[in-house]
Amino acid sequence: MKNDSAVALDALLARAADALRKAKRVCVLTGAGISAESGIPTFRDALTGLWANFNPEDLATPEAFERDPKFVWDWYEFRRELIRQAEPNPGHFALAELAGRVPRFTLVTQNVDGLHQRAGSKGVLEYHGNILRDRCCVEQVIAERSEDSRHGLPRCAACGGLLRPDVVWFGEAIPPGPMLAAAAAAESCDVFLSIGTSSLVYPAASLAESALRAGATVIEVNPDRTDLSPAADVVLGGPSGLLLPRLLDALS
Ligand code: BJW
Ligand code: ZN
């Protein structure tokens, strides 16, 4: 026999599935939590998070990079290696499958790890860039590394300028393409899913707020409560690698 909390979770999954069944447009926002079960640490976990021993301003800002590019690059190279060795988990695969089950589907990710694409998701809007690409600080374009930069700091093959990871740091603008497409999807969706994000970082966190204002059903998937939880219509409390496949099952 199922205990009370299992019955309550079944009822929440049924409500979420019902909203998805009726939806014409679905918008999904994912954060670091969806990749946690692939072995990639989240940012804000006090013990295991990527910033557990650092101040974010010492690592993820243009000022930090200007001050000490080697220190910042070392952190990114360490994370790139972790990401290259990681595999998408059932949460990523469930979202790739969900795309085929609803008429219009937009997947916005704050993650820079490319795991949604590796799970088969198409047209992913990379809100905070992609850690595996290099960008030239001089030309501001995606760039190849020069041959002779294997030992020191990575340099652009075309102009010799310093390279940086193609991600969005604090104080930097979101790339306009993903930003506009994500805003349009959030404002026009019937169902908005917020998965594995602490909902603390803006403007990404404002997407759920836009969806709420526009009258969408907002579903949150997260083992912990967030600032979004009180406003969400359905809160599925648990890991996305477990709950998203169950949501798909409830849909069929
Ligand atoms: C699980 C799980 C499991 C665990 N299953 N879940 C308005 C108000 C206040 C501040 C601002 C504002 N507007 C802008 C700001 C400033 C700033 C900001 O938001 N600061 C806040 C900290 C207050 N924003 C910016 O600076 C942004 N830029 C900007 O606004 O520019 C303006 C501008 C305009 C025009 C010209 C110039 C400028 C840029 C933000 C960039 C964020 N960048 C980072 C780093 C990316 C590169 C890298 O990876 O190194 O993005 S910071 C970091 O946070 C990363 C993430 O994408 C982002 C969000 O984190 P996320 O994904 O939510 O992770 P966590 O760790 O916080 O949460 C994980 C969650 O998963 C938890 O809830 C767990 O419970 C859960 N979980 N296991 C499901 N198995
Ligand atoms: Zn260059």
Side-chain angles (χ1 to χ4, degrees), residues 24 27 48 63 114 123 248-249:
K24 292 194 176 63
C27 179
T48 58
E63 293 76 23
L248 270 188
D249 288 347

Side-chain angles (χ1 to χ4, degrees), residues 102-190:
V102 291
R104 292 277 296 270
F105 183 87
T106 306
L107 175 53
V108 186
T109 189
Q110 298 170 83
N111 298 346
V112 296
D113 57 28
L115 287 181
H116 284 301
Q117 292 90 330
R118 284 172 56 195
S121 284
K122 306 278 182 240
V124 180
L125 300 174
E126 292 182 320
Y127 211 77
H128 290 158
N130 190 307
I131 196 173
L132 298 174
R133 291 190 298 254
D134 291 332
R135 187 187 341 145
C136 175
C137 295
V138 177
E139 299 171 285
Q140 291 303 333
V141 293
I142 306 304
E144 297 294 322
R145 288 183 177 205
S146 71
E147 278 298 315
D148 59 359
S149 62
R150 261 166 304 174
H151 301 297
L153 286 167
R155 299 246 159 221
C156 173
C159 78
L162 185 59
L163 294 179
R164 57 165 282 178
D166 186 32
V167 297
V168 181
W169 285 325
F170 285 115
E172 293 185 324
I174 308 303
M179 191 177 75
L180 293 173
E187 281 159 15
S188 64
C189 67
D190 312 299

Side-chain angles (χ1 to χ4, degrees), residues 30-38 40-45 49-51 56-57 59-61 75-76 79 83 89 109-113 127-131 164-174 179 195-205 220-226 236 238-242:
T30 62
I34 196 164
S35 295
E37 289 151 276
S38 294
I40 301 175
T42 62
F43 289 92
R44 292 174 181 79
D45 185 295
L50 283 162
W51 289 334
E57 282 70 39
L59 289 162
T61 63
W75 189 60
Y76 278 95
R79 288 175 55 203
I83 285 165
N89 68 57
T109 189
Q110 298 170 83
N111 298 346
V112 296
D113 57 28
Y127 211 77
H128 290 158
N130 190 307
I131 196 173
R164 57 165 282 178
D166 186 32
V167 297
V168 181
W169 285 325
F170 285 115
E172 293 185 324
I174 308 303
M179 191 177 75
I195 303 169
T197 174
S198 56
S199 296
L200 289 173
V201 174
Y202 283 79
E220 182 177 55
V221 183
N222 199 314
D224 293 337
R225 289 186 68 80
T226 72
L236 298 172
S240 47
L242 184 78

